[in-house]
PDB file of all heavy atoms in Angstrom:
ATOM      1  N   ALA L  18       4.171  11.874  11.689  1.00 94.00           N
ATOM      2  CA  ALA L  18       5.576  12.158  11.991  1.00 94.00           C
ATOM      3  C   ALA L  18       6.226  13.034  10.929  1.00 94.00           C
ATOM      4  O   ALA L  18       7.407  13.360  11.028  1.00 94.00           O
ATOM      5  CB  ALA L  18       6.355  10.855  12.121  1.00 94.00           C
ATOM      6  N   SER L  19       5.470  13.417   9.893  1.00 93.00           N
ATOM      7  CA  SER L  19       6.032  14.141   8.744  1.00 93.00           C
ATOM      8  C   SER L  19       5.463  15.545   8.631  1.00 93.00           C
ATOM      9  O   SER L  19       4.383  15.845   9.145  1.00 93.00           O
ATOM     10  CB  SER L  19       5.736  13.384   7.441  1.00 93.00           C
ATOM     11  OG  SER L  19       6.118  12.040   7.515  1.00 93.00           O
ATOM     12  N   THR L  20       6.189  16.388   7.906  1.00 94.00           N
ATOM     13  CA  THR L  20       5.666  17.706   7.572  1.00 94.00           C
ATOM     14  C   THR L  20       4.544  17.555   6.550  1.00 94.00           C
ATOM     15  O   THR L  20       4.423  16.528   5.870  1.00 94.00           O
ATOM     16  CB  THR L  20       6.755  18.602   6.975  1.00 94.00           C
ATOM     17  OG1 THR L  20       7.232  18.003   5.750  1.00 94.00           O
ATOM     18  CG2 THR L  20       7.920  18.783   7.929  1.00 94.00           C
ATOM     19  N   LYS L  21       3.727  18.577   6.414  1.00 90.00           N
ATOM     20  CA  LYS L  21       2.622  18.531   5.448  1.00 90.00           C
ATOM     21  C   LYS L  21       3.156  18.382   4.035  1.00 90.00           C
ATOM     22  O   LYS L  21       2.619  17.624   3.221  1.00 90.00           O
ATOM     23  CB  LYS L  21       1.785  19.803   5.556  1.00 90.00           C
ATOM     24  CG  LYS L  21       0.591  19.823   4.609  1.00 90.00           C
ATOM     25  CD  LYS L  21      -0.219  21.096   4.745  1.00 90.00           C
ATOM     26  CE  LYS L  21      -1.386  21.094   3.751  1.00 90.00           C
ATOM     27  NZ  LYS L  21      -2.164  22.357   3.835  1.00 90.00           N
ATOM     28  N   GLU L  22       4.250  19.096   3.726  1.00 89.00           N
ATOM     29  CA  GLU L  22       4.829  19.024   2.381  1.00 89.00           C
ATOM     30  C   GLU L  22       5.303  17.621   2.053  1.00 89.00           C
ATOM     31  O   GLU L  22       5.121  17.127   0.943  1.00 89.00           O
ATOM     32  CB  GLU L  22       5.994  20.017   2.249  1.00 89.00           C
ATOM     33  CG  GLU L  22       5.601  21.476   2.293  1.00 89.00           C
ATOM     34  CD  GLU L  22       5.265  21.970   3.689  1.00 89.00           C
ATOM     35  OE1 GLU L  22       5.592  21.263   4.673  1.00 89.00           O
ATOM     36  OE2 GLU L  22       4.664  23.053   3.806  1.00 89.00           O
ATOM     37  N   MET L  23       5.902  16.954   3.034  1.00 87.00           N
ATOM     38  CA  MET L  23       6.379  15.591   2.796  1.00 87.00           C
ATOM     39  C   MET L  23       5.210  14.625   2.641  1.00 87.00           C
ATOM     40  O   MET L  23       5.221  13.747   1.787  1.00 87.00           O
ATOM     41  CB  MET L  23       7.268  15.141   3.956  1.00 87.00           C
ATOM     42  CG  MET L  23       7.501  13.649   3.968  1.00 87.00           C
ATOM     43  SD  MET L  23       9.193  13.193   4.022  1.00 87.00           S
ATOM     44  CE  MET L  23       9.020  11.428   4.246  1.00 87.00           C
ATOM     45  N   SER L  24       4.192  14.796   3.469  1.00 84.00           N
ATOM     46  CA  SER L  24       3.034  13.905   3.412  1.00 84.00           C
ATOM     47  C   SER L  24       2.312  13.983   2.074  1.00 84.00           C
ATOM     48  O   SER L  24       1.687  13.025   1.643  1.00 84.00           O
ATOM     49  CB  SER L  24       2.054  14.245   4.545  1.00 84.00           C
ATOM     50  OG  SER L  24       2.661  14.028   5.801  1.00 84.00           O
ATOM     51  N   GLU L  25       2.400  15.139   1.435  1.00 83.00           N
ATOM     52  CA  GLU L  25       1.710  15.325   0.164  1.00 83.00           C
ATOM     53  C   GLU L  25       2.653  15.208  -1.034  1.00 83.00           C
ATOM     54  O   GLU L  25       2.215  15.323  -2.177  1.00 83.00           O
ATOM     55  CB  GLU L  25       1.032  16.697   0.138  1.00 83.00           C
ATOM     56  CG  GLU L  25      -0.053  16.856   1.202  1.00 83.00           C
ATOM     57  CD  GLU L  25      -0.630  18.252   1.247  1.00 83.00           C
ATOM     58  OE1 GLU L  25      -0.069  19.144   0.570  1.00 83.00           O
ATOM     59  OE2 GLU L  25      -1.638  18.456   1.956  1.00 83.00           O
ATOM     60  N   GLY L  26       3.955  14.966  -0.779  1.00 80.00           N
ATOM     61  CA  GLY L  26       4.945  14.993  -1.855  1.00 80.00           C
ATOM     62  C   GLY L  26       5.339  13.629  -2.379  1.00 80.00           C
ATOM     63  O   GLY L  26       4.771  12.601  -2.027  1.00 80.00           O
ATOM     64  N   MET L  27       6.370  13.622  -3.232  1.00 69.00           N
ATOM     65  CA  MET L  27       6.793  12.411  -3.927  1.00 69.00           C
ATOM     66  C   MET L  27       7.411  11.380  -2.988  1.00 69.00           C
ATOM     67  O   MET L  27       7.297  10.184  -3.221  1.00 69.00           O
ATOM     68  CB  MET L  27       7.799  12.768  -5.025  1.00 69.00           C
ATOM     69  CG  MET L  27       7.203  13.512  -6.196  1.00 69.00           C
ATOM     70  SD  MET L  27       5.961  12.541  -7.073  1.00 69.00           S
ATOM     71  CE  MET L  27       6.986  11.346  -7.916  1.00 69.00           C
ATOM     72  N   VAL L  28       8.080  11.837  -1.924  1.00 72.00           N
ATOM     73  CA  VAL L  28       8.728  10.888  -1.020  1.00 72.00           C
ATOM     74  C   VAL L  28       7.683  10.008  -0.342  1.00 72.00           C
ATOM     75  O   VAL L  28       7.776   8.782  -0.338  1.00 72.00           O
ATOM     76  CB  VAL L  28       9.579  11.624   0.037  1.00 72.00           C
ATOM     77  CG1 VAL L  28      10.116  10.638   1.060  1.00 72.00           C
ATOM     78  CG2 VAL L  28      10.728  12.361  -0.627  1.00 72.00           C
ATOM     79  N   ASN L  29       6.666  10.622   0.210  1.00 77.00           N
ATOM     80  CA  ASN L  29       5.629   9.835   0.867  1.00 77.00           C
ATOM     81  C   ASN L  29       4.840   9.021  -0.155  1.00 77.00           C
ATOM     82  O   ASN L  29       4.359   7.926   0.146  1.00 77.00           O
ATOM     83  CB  ASN L  29       4.691  10.741   1.664  1.00 77.00           C
ATOM     84  CG  ASN L  29       3.947   9.993   2.749  1.00 77.00           C
ATOM     85  OD1 ASN L  29       4.556   9.246   3.514  1.00 77.00           O
ATOM     86  ND2 ASN L  29       2.656  10.163   2.818  1.00 77.00           N
ATOM     87  N   ALA L  30       4.723   9.553  -1.369  1.00 83.00           N
ATOM     88  CA  ALA L  30       4.014   8.814  -2.422  1.00 83.00           C
ATOM     89  C   ALA L  30       4.720   7.502  -2.734  1.00 83.00           C
ATOM     90  O   ALA L  30       4.077   6.509  -3.084  1.00 83.00           O
ATOM     91  CB  ALA L  30       3.923   9.677  -3.684  1.00 83.00           C
ATOM     92  N   TYR L  31       6.044   7.488  -2.598  1.00 86.00           N
ATOM     93  CA  TYR L  31       6.809   6.252  -2.805  1.00 86.00           C
ATOM     94  C   TYR L  31       6.338   5.166  -1.845  1.00 86.00           C
ATOM     95  O   TYR L  31       6.046   4.038  -2.239  1.00 86.00           O
ATOM     96  CB  TYR L  31       8.300   6.535  -2.606  1.00 86.00           C
ATOM     97  CG  TYR L  31       9.144   5.305  -2.354  1.00 86.00           C
ATOM     98  CD1 TYR L  31       9.565   4.503  -3.414  1.00 86.00           C
ATOM     99  CD2 TYR L  31       9.532   4.944  -1.069  1.00 86.00           C
ATOM    100  CE1 TYR L  31      10.338   3.371  -3.189  1.00 86.00           C
ATOM    101  CE2 TYR L  31      10.308   3.821  -0.831  1.00 86.00           C
ATOM    102  CZ  TYR L  31      10.713   3.039  -1.894  1.00 86.00           C
ATOM    103  OH  TYR L  31      11.467   1.923  -1.679  1.00 86.00           O
ATOM    104  N   PHE L  32       6.239   5.511  -0.568  1.00 89.00           N
ATOM    105  CA  PHE L  32       5.818   4.535   0.432  1.00 89.00           C
ATOM    106  C   PHE L  32       4.366   4.116   0.215  1.00 89.00           C
ATOM    107  O   PHE L  32       4.019   2.943   0.362  1.00 89.00           O
ATOM    108  CB  PHE L  32       6.001   5.112   1.839  1.00 89.00           C
ATOM    109  CG  PHE L  32       7.439   5.347   2.209  1.00 89.00           C
ATOM    110  CD1 PHE L  32       7.980   6.619   2.193  1.00 89.00           C
ATOM    111  CD2 PHE L  32       8.259   4.289   2.560  1.00 89.00           C
ATOM    112  CE1 PHE L  32       9.311   6.836   2.533  1.00 89.00           C
ATOM    113  CE2 PHE L  32       9.593   4.488   2.904  1.00 89.00           C
ATOM    114  CZ  PHE L  32      10.113   5.770   2.889  1.00 89.00           C
ATOM    115  N   ARG L  33       3.518   5.076  -0.135  1.00 87.00           N
ATOM    116  CA  ARG L  33       2.102   4.753  -0.353  1.00 87.00           C
ATOM    117  C   ARG L  33       1.917   3.810  -1.547  1.00 87.00           C
ATOM    118  O   ARG L  33       1.169   2.841  -1.468  1.00 87.00           O
ATOM    119  CB  ARG L  33       1.296   6.036  -0.585  1.00 87.00           C
ATOM    120  CG  ARG L  33       1.111   6.868   0.666  1.00 87.00           C
ATOM    121  CD  ARG L  33       0.264   8.106   0.405  1.00 87.00           C
ATOM    122  NE  ARG L  33       0.129   8.885   1.616  1.00 87.00           N
ATOM    123  CZ  ARG L  33      -0.760   8.647   2.572  1.00 87.00           C
ATOM    124  NH1 ARG L  33      -1.594   7.638   2.446  1.00 87.00           N
ATOM    125  NH2 ARG L  33      -0.821   9.396   3.647  1.00 87.00           N
ATOM    126  N   SER L  34       2.583   4.106  -2.655  1.00 87.00           N
ATOM    127  CA  SER L  34       2.405   3.279  -3.845  1.00 87.00           C
ATOM    128  C   SER L  34       3.048   1.896  -3.667  1.00 87.00           C
ATOM    129  O   SER L  34       2.566   0.898  -4.199  1.00 87.00           O
ATOM    130  CB  SER L  34       2.965   3.983  -5.092  1.00 87.00           C
ATOM    131  OG  SER L  34       4.267   4.463  -4.886  1.00 87.00           O
ATOM    132  N   PHE L  35       4.122   1.840  -2.900  1.00 91.00           N
ATOM    133  CA  PHE L  35       4.738   0.552  -2.564  1.00 91.00           C
ATOM    134  C   PHE L  35       3.723  -0.311  -1.810  1.00 91.00           C
ATOM    135  O   PHE L  35       3.512  -1.488  -2.126  1.00 91.00           O
ATOM    136  CB  PHE L  35       5.978   0.795  -1.691  1.00 91.00           C
ATOM    137  CG  PHE L  35       6.826  -0.420  -1.442  1.00 91.00           C
ATOM    138  CD1 PHE L  35       8.002  -0.625  -2.143  1.00 91.00           C
ATOM    139  CD2 PHE L  35       6.469  -1.361  -0.486  1.00 91.00           C
ATOM    140  CE1 PHE L  35       8.800  -1.742  -1.908  1.00 91.00           C
ATOM    141  CE2 PHE L  35       7.254  -2.480  -0.244  1.00 91.00           C
ATOM    142  CZ  PHE L  35       8.420  -2.665  -0.961  1.00 91.00           C
ATOM    143  N   LEU L  36       3.077   0.278  -0.819  1.00 91.00           N
ATOM    144  CA  LEU L  36       2.096  -0.463  -0.031  1.00 91.00           C
ATOM    145  C   LEU L  36       0.887  -0.853  -0.884  1.00 91.00           C
ATOM    146  O   LEU L  36       0.300  -1.922  -0.687  1.00 91.00           O
ATOM    147  CB  LEU L  36       1.657   0.368   1.173  1.00 91.00           C
ATOM    148  CG  LEU L  36       0.782  -0.334   2.219  1.00 91.00           C
ATOM    149  CD1 LEU L  36       1.440  -1.616   2.709  1.00 91.00           C
ATOM    150  CD2 LEU L  36       0.500   0.591   3.391  1.00 91.00           C
ATOM    151  N   ASN L  37       0.528  -0.019  -1.852  1.00 88.00           N
ATOM    152  CA  ASN L  37      -0.585  -0.356  -2.750  1.00 88.00           C
ATOM    153  C   ASN L  37      -0.295  -1.630  -3.533  1.00 88.00           C
ATOM    154  O   ASN L  37      -1.195  -2.450  -3.764  1.00 88.00           O
ATOM    155  CB  ASN L  37      -0.865   0.800  -3.715  1.00 88.00           C
ATOM    156  CG  ASN L  37      -1.575   1.956  -3.036  1.00 88.00           C
ATOM    157  OD1 ASN L  37      -2.184   1.778  -1.988  1.00 88.00           O
ATOM    158  ND2 ASN L  37      -1.487   3.137  -3.627  1.00 88.00           N
ATOM    159  N   SER L  38       0.948  -1.808  -3.977  1.00 89.00           N
ATOM    160  CA  SER L  38       1.318  -3.026  -4.700  1.00 89.00           C
ATOM    161  C   SER L  38       1.183  -4.249  -3.795  1.00 89.00           C
ATOM    162  O   SER L  38       0.717  -5.310  -4.222  1.00 89.00           O
ATOM    163  CB  SER L  38       2.750  -2.932  -5.238  1.00 89.00           C
ATOM    164  OG  SER L  38       2.816  -2.089  -6.358  1.00 89.00           O
ATOM    165  N   LEU L  39       1.594  -4.108  -2.541  1.00 92.00           N
ATOM    166  CA  LEU L  39       1.472  -5.214  -1.595  1.00 92.00           C
ATOM    167  C   LEU L  39      -0.003  -5.537  -1.323  1.00 92.00           C
ATOM    168  O   LEU L  39      -0.388  -6.702  -1.203  1.00 92.00           O
ATOM    169  CB  LEU L  39       2.183  -4.887  -0.285  1.00 92.00           C
ATOM    170  CG  LEU L  39       3.686  -4.599  -0.367  1.00 92.00           C
ATOM    171  CD1 LEU L  39       4.269  -4.483   1.043  1.00 92.00           C
ATOM    172  CD2 LEU L  39       4.422  -5.658  -1.159  1.00 92.00           C
ATOM    173  N   GLU L  40      -0.829  -4.492  -1.241  1.00 91.00           N
ATOM    174  CA  GLU L  40      -2.257  -4.712  -1.023  1.00 91.00           C
ATOM    175  C   GLU L  40      -2.876  -5.448  -2.214  1.00 91.00           C
ATOM    176  O   GLU L  40      -3.722  -6.325  -2.053  1.00 91.00           O
ATOM    177  CB  GLU L  40      -2.969  -3.377  -0.796  1.00 91.00           C
ATOM    178  CG  GLU L  40      -2.679  -2.740   0.550  1.00 91.00           C
ATOM    179  CD  GLU L  40      -3.346  -3.475   1.707  1.00 91.00           C
ATOM    180  OE1 GLU L  40      -4.062  -4.462   1.467  1.00 91.00           O
ATOM    181  OE2 GLU L  40      -3.139  -3.068   2.858  1.00 91.00           O
ATOM    182  N   SER L  41      -2.448  -5.087  -3.436  1.00 89.00           N
ATOM    183  CA  SER L  41      -2.963  -5.766  -4.626  1.00 89.00           C
ATOM    184  C   SER L  41      -2.572  -7.234  -4.614  1.00 89.00           C
ATOM    185  O   SER L  41      -3.361  -8.108  -4.992  1.00 89.00           O
ATOM    186  CB  SER L  41      -2.421  -5.088  -5.892  1.00 89.00           C
ATOM    187  OG  SER L  41      -2.883  -3.763  -6.002  1.00 89.00           O
ATOM    188  N   MET L  42      -1.349  -7.515  -4.163  1.00 90.00           N
ATOM    189  CA  MET L  42      -0.893  -8.897  -4.083  1.00 90.00           C
ATOM    190  C   MET L  42      -1.717  -9.674  -3.059  1.00 90.00           C
ATOM    191  O   MET L  42      -2.055 -10.846  -3.261  1.00 90.00           O
ATOM    192  CB  MET L  42       0.592  -8.920  -3.712  1.00 90.00           C
ATOM    193  CG  MET L  42       1.250 -10.266  -3.896  1.00 90.00           C
ATOM    194  SD  MET L  42       1.301 -10.777  -5.615  1.00 90.00           S
ATOM    195  CE  MET L  42       1.624 -12.531  -5.418  1.00 90.00           C
ATOM    196  N   ARG L  43      -2.074  -9.031  -1.968  1.00 91.00           N
ATOM    197  CA  ARG L  43      -2.929  -9.675  -0.972  1.00 91.00           C
ATOM    198  C   ARG L  43      -4.296 -10.013  -1.565  1.00 91.00           C
ATOM    199  O   ARG L  43      -4.853 -11.089  -1.316  1.00 91.00           O
ATOM    200  CB  ARG L  43      -3.111  -8.757   0.239  1.00 91.00           C
ATOM    201  CG  ARG L  43      -1.876  -8.577   1.106  1.00 91.00           C
ATOM    202  CD  ARG L  43      -2.176  -7.645   2.264  1.00 91.00           C
ATOM    203  NE  ARG L  43      -2.993  -8.301   3.275  1.00 91.00           N
ATOM    204  CZ  ARG L  43      -3.782  -7.649   4.131  1.00 91.00           C
ATOM    205  NH1 ARG L  43      -3.877  -6.325   4.075  1.00 91.00           N
ATOM    206  NH2 ARG L  43      -4.483  -8.309   5.030  1.00 91.00           N
ATOM    207  N   GLN L  44      -4.835  -9.089  -2.364  1.00 89.00           N
ATOM    208  CA  GLN L  44      -6.152  -9.314  -2.963  1.00 89.00           C
ATOM    209  C   GLN L  44      -6.130 -10.474  -3.945  1.00 89.00           C
ATOM    210  O   GLN L  44      -7.048 -11.286  -3.991  1.00 89.00           O
ATOM    211  CB  GLN L  44      -6.628  -8.036  -3.652  1.00 89.00           C
ATOM    212  CG  GLN L  44      -6.946  -6.904  -2.692  1.00 89.00           C
ATOM    213  CD  GLN L  44      -7.401  -5.656  -3.422  1.00 89.00           C
ATOM    214  OE1 GLN L  44      -8.304  -5.696  -4.245  1.00 89.00           O
ATOM    215  NE2 GLN L  44      -6.752  -4.540  -3.133  1.00 89.00           N
ATOM    216  N   ILE L  45      -5.048 -10.546  -4.746  1.00 87.00           N
ATOM    217  CA  ILE L  45      -4.917 -11.651  -5.698  1.00 87.00           C
ATOM    218  C   ILE L  45      -4.842 -12.984  -4.955  1.00 87.00           C
ATOM    219  O   ILE L  45      -5.482 -13.969  -5.329  1.00 87.00           O
ATOM    220  CB  ILE L  45      -3.673 -11.461  -6.578  1.00 87.00           C
ATOM    221  CG1 ILE L  45      -3.946 -10.389  -7.623  1.00 87.00           C
ATOM    222  CG2 ILE L  45      -3.259 -12.758  -7.256  1.00 87.00           C
ATOM    223  CD1 ILE L  45      -2.762 -10.064  -8.490  1.00 87.00           C
ATOM    224  N   THR L  46      -4.064 -13.011  -3.876  1.00 87.00           N
ATOM    225  CA  THR L  46      -3.943 -14.230  -3.076  1.00 87.00           C
ATOM    226  C   THR L  46      -5.291 -14.619  -2.481  1.00 87.00           C
ATOM    227  O   THR L  46      -5.669 -15.802  -2.481  1.00 87.00           O
ATOM    228  CB  THR L  46      -2.906 -14.028  -1.950  1.00 87.00           C
ATOM    229  OG1 THR L  46      -1.650 -13.658  -2.533  1.00 87.00           O
ATOM    230  CG2 THR L  46      -2.723 -15.297  -1.144  1.00 87.00           C
ATOM    231  N   ALA L  47      -6.025 -13.633  -1.972  1.00 88.00           N
ATOM    232  CA  ALA L  47      -7.328 -13.903  -1.369  1.00 88.00           C
ATOM    233  C   ALA L  47      -8.304 -14.469  -2.400  1.00 88.00           C
ATOM    234  O   ALA L  47      -9.034 -15.425  -2.125  1.00 88.00           O
ATOM    235  CB  ALA L  47      -7.895 -12.629  -0.744  1.00 88.00           C
ATOM    236  N   GLU L  48      -8.300 -13.878  -3.623  1.00 85.00           N
ATOM    237  CA  GLU L  48      -9.188 -14.357  -4.684  1.00 85.00           C
ATOM    238  C   GLU L  48      -8.817 -15.775  -5.101  1.00 85.00           C
ATOM    239  O   GLU L  48      -9.686 -16.622  -5.326  1.00 85.00           O
ATOM    240  CB  GLU L  48      -9.122 -13.415  -5.885  1.00 85.00           C
ATOM    241  CG  GLU L  48      -9.807 -12.080  -5.653  1.00 85.00           C
ATOM    242  CD  GLU L  48      -9.760 -11.189  -6.881  1.00 85.00           C
ATOM    243  OE1 GLU L  48      -9.304 -11.660  -7.953  1.00 85.00           O
ATOM    244  OE2 GLU L  48     -10.187 -10.022  -6.782  1.00 85.00           O
ATOM    245  N   ALA L  49      -7.515 -16.046  -5.199  1.00 83.00           N
ATOM    246  CA  ALA L  49      -7.059 -17.366  -5.642  1.00 83.00           C
ATOM    247  C   ALA L  49      -7.405 -18.451  -4.621  1.00 83.00           C
ATOM    248  O   ALA L  49      -7.739 -19.578  -4.990  1.00 83.00           O
ATOM    249  CB  ALA L  49      -5.548 -17.343  -5.892  1.00 83.00           C
ATOM    250  N   GLU L  50      -7.343 -18.102  -3.344  1.00 84.00           N
ATOM    251  CA  GLU L  50      -7.572 -19.087  -2.300  1.00 84.00           C
ATOM    252  C   GLU L  50      -9.001 -19.064  -1.761  1.00 84.00           C
ATOM    253  O   GLU L  50      -9.374 -19.888  -0.922  1.00 84.00           O
ATOM    254  CB  GLU L  50      -6.570 -18.882  -1.148  1.00 84.00           C
ATOM    255  CG  GLU L  50      -5.117 -19.069  -1.581  1.00 84.00           C
ATOM    256  CD  GLU L  50      -4.139 -18.936  -0.424  1.00 84.00           C
ATOM    257  OE1 GLU L  50      -4.602 -18.815   0.732  1.00 84.00           O
ATOM    258  OE2 GLU L  50      -2.917 -18.957  -0.680  1.00 84.00           O
ATOM    259  N   GLY L  51      -9.796 -18.076  -2.226  1.00 88.00           N
ATOM    260  CA  GLY L  51     -11.182 -17.995  -1.778  1.00 88.00           C
ATOM    261  C   GLY L  51     -11.332 -17.668  -0.312  1.00 88.00           C
ATOM    262  O   GLY L  51     -12.205 -18.198   0.380  1.00 88.00           O
ATOM    263  N   ILE L  52     -10.461 -16.777   0.187  1.00 89.00           N
ATOM    264  CA  ILE L  52     -10.502 -16.402   1.604  1.00 89.00           C
ATOM    265  C   ILE L  52     -10.562 -14.878   1.709  1.00 89.00           C
ATOM    266  O   ILE L  52     -10.237 -14.163   0.750  1.00 89.00           O
ATOM    267  CB  ILE L  52      -9.255 -16.933   2.359  1.00 89.00           C
ATOM    268  CG1 ILE L  52      -7.958 -16.399   1.705  1.00 89.00           C
ATOM    269  CG2 ILE L  52      -9.256 -18.450   2.388  1.00 89.00           C
ATOM    270  CD1 ILE L  52      -6.697 -16.824   2.438  1.00 89.00           C
ATOM    271  N   PRO L  53     -10.977 -14.338   2.853  1.00 92.00           N
ATOM    272  CA  PRO L  53     -11.036 -12.879   3.022  1.00 92.00           C
ATOM    273  C   PRO L  53      -9.644 -12.247   2.951  1.00 92.00           C
ATOM    274  O   PRO L  53      -8.661 -12.851   3.393  1.00 92.00           O
ATOM    275  CB  PRO L  53     -11.640 -12.702   4.422  1.00 92.00           C
ATOM    276  CG  PRO L  53     -12.288 -14.007   4.741  1.00 92.00           C
ATOM    277  CD  PRO L  53     -11.493 -15.050   4.031  1.00 92.00           C
ATOM    278  N   VAL L  54      -9.567 -11.036   2.406  1.00 89.00           N
ATOM    279  CA  VAL L  54      -8.286 -10.329   2.297  1.00 89.00           C
ATOM    280  C   VAL L  54      -7.672 -10.121   3.682  1.00 89.00           C
ATOM    281  O   VAL L  54      -6.453 -10.211   3.850  1.00 89.00           O
ATOM    282  CB  VAL L  54      -8.469  -8.971   1.591  1.00 89.00           C
ATOM    283  CG1 VAL L  54      -7.166  -8.185   1.585  1.00 89.00           C
ATOM    284  CG2 VAL L  54      -8.967  -9.172   0.173  1.00 89.00           C
ATOM    285  N   ALA L  55      -8.518  -9.879   4.666  1.00 90.00           N
ATOM    286  CA  ALA L  55      -8.024  -9.606   6.019  1.00 90.00           C
ATOM    287  C   ALA L  55      -7.222 -10.765   6.595  1.00 90.00           C
ATOM    288  O   ALA L  55      -6.385 -10.567   7.477  1.00 90.00           O
ATOM    289  CB  ALA L  55      -9.194  -9.271   6.938  1.00 90.00           C
ATOM    290  N   SER L  56      -7.469 -11.966   6.105  1.00 90.00           N
ATOM    291  CA  SER L  56      -6.760 -13.139   6.640  1.00 90.00           C
ATOM    292  C   SER L  56      -5.453 -13.417   5.897  1.00 90.00           C
ATOM    293  O   SER L  56      -4.731 -14.354   6.240  1.00 90.00           O
ATOM    294  CB  SER L  56      -7.658 -14.374   6.573  1.00 90.00           C
ATOM    295  OG  SER L  56      -7.967 -14.703   5.229  1.00 90.00           O
TER     296      SER L  56
END
């Protein structure tokens, strides 16, 4: 839904890095509970 410049720029990087933090939190939870990340 975005232009190429936006997809490669700082605005889209904000959303990507935000989601990366959430993914890391999911991984920590999965490791702590001994369950797959997908669950």
Side-chain angles (χ1 to χ4, degrees):
S19 308
T20 62
K21 181 180 178 182
E22 292 76 14
M23 165 127 173
S24 297
E25 297 175 351
M27 290 297 287
V28 174
N29 201 48
Y31 161 81
F32 294 103
R33 288 182 181 277
S34 50
F35 189 102
L36 189 54
N37 285 340
S38 285
L39 300 188
E40 288 288 358
S41 296
M42 193 65 197
R43 290 180 74 204
Q44 292 179 52
I45 284 177
T46 303
E48 288 182 7
E50 298 183 6
I52 58 177
V54 175
S56 64

